[in-house]
């Protein structure tokens, strides 16, 4: 992703999962942007994802109460308000876009072992070991 | 053996009496039944040949490995509805929840009366169901394995006087690791990769994984075989593969089967191929309790409330790990983090409806473009299901419920849950998903209304059968896997009989 695109992505990631609050880690704590980019590329959704980011970046330019500034130039609190408004939007493509964004970003963030540990979620195979099973069937 | 065509460049051609495309609920059953009846069968699958050793229970890694387009498949229309599909040997059965319900007899009777499929009014699919259920070990989830979230629901349902019970599943020796939809690491769930595919192979069928069938080859109206693209382990094209056969059974799933038929020039103008898509729109409702629930500790889909089935509303267990639960938790930024920090106090439960809306699948550059408009009545019924689950959660002691409804993202009391049902909603106001695409090559005795005849044979071509969720003439009402398998059993028997004649 180009420098501009990357700046928008970083701003979006930080807005969705800022550091601090309920627990210290946030998007900036991890190399999340690379993982997100890899995920959307692998799903064949790279172009749609970039368009979505540009949509978010330019959207606040339409809003006088936000000073007609690009998303990535807004302070965190205002960025949170923009995305919260997308989530509550009556215009379903906007709401769905935010939902897709949450799905892609939050799955990468909350899929990390450090965050699992933070939430008290044990690895399923640590909770129920499979050691008592016979060796898996071999593919002949 | 798994003939991995990509690894053996010399294998460019094969021939068989029957080629089966797809190894999911439909394809694997047809392949096993035919191979055991003595036919020479080749089984082609686009995904990898995976097994227990690959199922690490790491949700994201498994989504990458086992889900088509990393889980981003779905429908567009008056809203976007994700429909995850499996892409592996075993198809979507590898990533399903293992729930096994027979379609109600009234559905099967309707298929005979309205669509001319014989023998369904009198005997339904009883013989085929029994055969399938004993092959995959269907039994109710024992209480000791019930997921803690489902246990909360059971208590809430009991408090409200609603009827519910344990779900029958195909999980032999299940220990409740709770990751059924990422591949069962114990081989307990009898998905077709551990049940019917090994049976087909033991009876002599040759399985080629990582082979995507691009086209069914025809000589005029008569089938000649299939042409496929072989892929290497990294998913790169590694050459072509041709299998000659006088019979081809398409079982690529309800979103992919119409695409393959269209690419092969087998979707006649105005034919039923690609039309009449049903999906069973669904959603999940989350609830936060004051005390830890640890909803992950058990079978995620273990209990259901069956009080509302006559309305086509099905309420059943659903639980996901943090990475897939997080997107359904309302809010962004710090508010969202606050709610996720209470993950061990969350429970969730699913609601789905048997739909009256329908959609269509088109082929766009070889990929399915699925169009589906969910009507107001379906949206209202699903909202009713959501409201009932919310009430049950409050009756079980929930502090807060997240129903996935735009106008009411957070409910804080029983009164709010009761009021929810009366909200005016459109489909796009609900956080939707779906897991049961069906109907896109529907079966029936009238070629003007149906894509395949009552034996599964495609109209307008000779030697092409369809045997997956596509053939259902209407919604099955319930989760479809055993009905797909039962129908595939019947289709295989008809095909074997036709060959003898
Ligand atoms: C998360 C989830 C949970 C579910 N839980 C349940 C449940 O508990 N109970 C239930 O009854 N149902 C459940 N289902 C649905 C059920 O698994 C499916 O309805 C069923 O597997 C569909 O069977 P099928 O044969 O039509 O297609 P599939 O099982 O999808 O099989 C189709 C196969 O064909 C392959 N294929 C496609 N195109 C090609 C091609 N061109 N060349 C070669 N191969 C190709 C695909 O890769 C796939 O392996 C669930 C689904 C999901 C996604
Ligand atoms: S809960 Fe049972 S069926 Fe599901 S993955 Fe665990 S052992 Fe397998």
């Amino acid at each position: 992703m180009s420098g501009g695109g990357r700046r928008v992505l970083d701003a979006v990631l930080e807005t969705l999962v800022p550091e601090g609050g309920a627990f210290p880690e946030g998007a900036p704590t991890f190399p999340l942007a690379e993982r997100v980019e890899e995920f959307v590329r692998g799903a064949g959704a790279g172009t749609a994802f970039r368009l979505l980011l540009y949509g978010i970046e330019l959207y606040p330019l339409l809003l006088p109460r936000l000073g007609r500034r690009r998303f990535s130039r807004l302070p965190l609190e205002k960025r949170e308000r923009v995305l919260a408004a997308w989530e509550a939007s009556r215009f379903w493509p906007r709401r769905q876009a935010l939902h897709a964004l949450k799905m892609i970003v939050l799955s990468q963030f909350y899929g990390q072992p450090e965050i699992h540990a933070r939430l008290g979620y044990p690895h399923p195979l640590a909770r129920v070991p499979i050691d008592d099973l016979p060796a898996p069937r071999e593919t002949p | 053996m798994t003939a991995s065509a990509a690894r053996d460049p010399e294998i460019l051609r094969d021939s068989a009496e029957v080629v089966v495309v797809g190894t999911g609920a439909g394809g694997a059953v047809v392949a096993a039944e035919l191979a055991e009846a003595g036919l020479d069968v080749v089984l082609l699958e686009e995904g990898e040949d995976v097994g227990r050793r690959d199922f690490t229970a790491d949700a994201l890694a498994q989504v990458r490995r086992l889900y088509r387009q990393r889980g981003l498949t779905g429908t567009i229309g008056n809203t976007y509805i994700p429909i995850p599909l499996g892409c592996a040997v075993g198809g979507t059965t590898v990533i399903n929840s293992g729930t096994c319900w027979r379609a109600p007899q009234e559905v099967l009777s309707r298929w005979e009366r309205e669509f001319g499929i014989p023998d369904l009014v009198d005997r339904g699919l009883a013989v085929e169901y029994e055969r399938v259920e004993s092959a995959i070990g269907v039994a109710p989830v024992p209480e000791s394995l019930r997921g803690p979230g489902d246990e909360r629901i059971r208590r809430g349902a009991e408090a409200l006087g609603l009827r519910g019970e344990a779900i029958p599943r195909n999980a032999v020796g299940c220990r409740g690791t709770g990751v059924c939809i990422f591949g069962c690491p114990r081989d307990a769930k009898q998905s077709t990769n551990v049940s019917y595919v090994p049976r087909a192979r033991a009876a002599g069928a040759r399985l080629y994984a990582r082979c995507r069938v691009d086209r069914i080859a025809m000589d005029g109206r008569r089938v000649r075989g299939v042409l496929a693209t072989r892929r290497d382990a990294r998913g790169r094209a590694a050459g072509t593969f041709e299998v000659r056969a006088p019979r081809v059974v398409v079982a690529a799933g309800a979103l992919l089967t119409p695409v393959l038929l269209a690419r092969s020039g087998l979707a006649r103008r105005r034919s039923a191929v690609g039309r009449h898509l049903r999906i069973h729109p669904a959603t999940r409702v989350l609830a936060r309790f004051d005390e830890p629930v640890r909803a992950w500790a058990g079978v995620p889909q273990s209990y259901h409330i069956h009080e509302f089935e006559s309305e086509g509303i099905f309420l059943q267990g659903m639980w996901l790990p943090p990475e897939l639960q997080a997107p359904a938790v309302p809010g962004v930024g710090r508010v969202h983090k606050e709610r996720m920090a209470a993950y061990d106090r969350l429970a969730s439960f699913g609601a789905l409806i048997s739909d009256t809306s329908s959609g269509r699948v088109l082929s766009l550059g070889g990929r399915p473009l699925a169009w589906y408009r969910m009507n107001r009545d379906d949206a209202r019924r699903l909202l009713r299901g959501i409201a009932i689950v919310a009430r049950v959660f409050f009756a079980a002691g929930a502090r807060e419920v997240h129903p996935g409804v735009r106008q009411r993202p957070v409910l804080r009391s029983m009164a709010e849950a009761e009021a929810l049902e009366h909200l005016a909603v459109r489909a796009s106001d609900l956080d939707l998903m779906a897991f049961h695409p069906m109907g896109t090559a529907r079966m029936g005795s009238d070629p003007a209304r149906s894509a395949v005849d009552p034996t599964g044979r495609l109209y307008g071509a000779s030697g092409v059968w369809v045997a997956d969720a596509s053939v259902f003439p209407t919604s099955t009402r319930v989760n479809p896997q055993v009905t797909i398998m039962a129908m595939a059993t019947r289709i295989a028997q008809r095909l074997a009989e036709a060959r003898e004649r």
Side-chain angles (χ1 to χ4, degrees), chain A residues 5 13 15 24 29 39 42 48 56 61-62 67 74 80 82 85 89 94 111 113 116 118-119 124 136:
Chain A
L13 296 182
T15 313
T29 322
F39 181 85
I56 292 174
L61 292 176
L62 304 171
L74 292 171
E80 274 188 8
V82 171
S89 175
R94 194 178 298 144
H116 283 182
R118 180 65 75 192
L119 302 183

Side-chain angles (χ1 to χ4, degrees), chain B residues 443-497:
Chain B
M443 183 180 272
S445 56
D446 179 359
R449 293 173 62 214
S450 313
V452 302
D453 76 10
T455 67
R457 201 193 294 247
L458 186 74
Y459 285 117
S462 177
V464 181
W465 272 262
V466 178
D468 58 17
S470 317
V471 301
F472 296 147
T474 66
S475 156
T476 47
R477 290 180 77 84
V478 297
N479 310 40
Q481 71 167 334
V482 286
T483 307
I484 299 169
M485 294 171 135
M487 267 300 209
T489 305
R490 184 180 268 208
I491 290 169
Q493 281 160 359
R494 300 288 186 268
L495 196 157
E497 286 160 17

Side-chain angles (χ1 to χ4, degrees), chain B residues 21-27 44-47 67-68 84-93 95-101 181 211-214 251-254 256 260 301 434-437 467-470 479-482 484:
Chain B
V21 183
T23 56
L44 297 178
E45 168 56 52
E46 178 174 349
Y67 283 57
R68 186 171 292 274
L85 300 172
C87 186
V89 170
T92 308
T93 70
I95 57 154
N96 77 16
S97 306
T99 290
C100 292
W101 271 313
I181 66 163
C211 272
R212 190 185 100 132
V213 175
D214 299 315
L256 276 301
L260 179 57
Q301 194 161 87
F435 306 97
H436 307 153
D468 58 17
S470 317
N479 310 40
Q481 71 167 334
V482 286
I484 299 169

Side-chain angles (χ1 to χ4, degrees), chain B residues 169 171 174-180 184-186 188-189 299:
Chain B
R169 296 174 77 239
C174 169
R175 289 272 304 277
T177 45
V179 289
C180 321
C184 174
R186 303 186 69 85
K189 189 180 71 177
V299 174

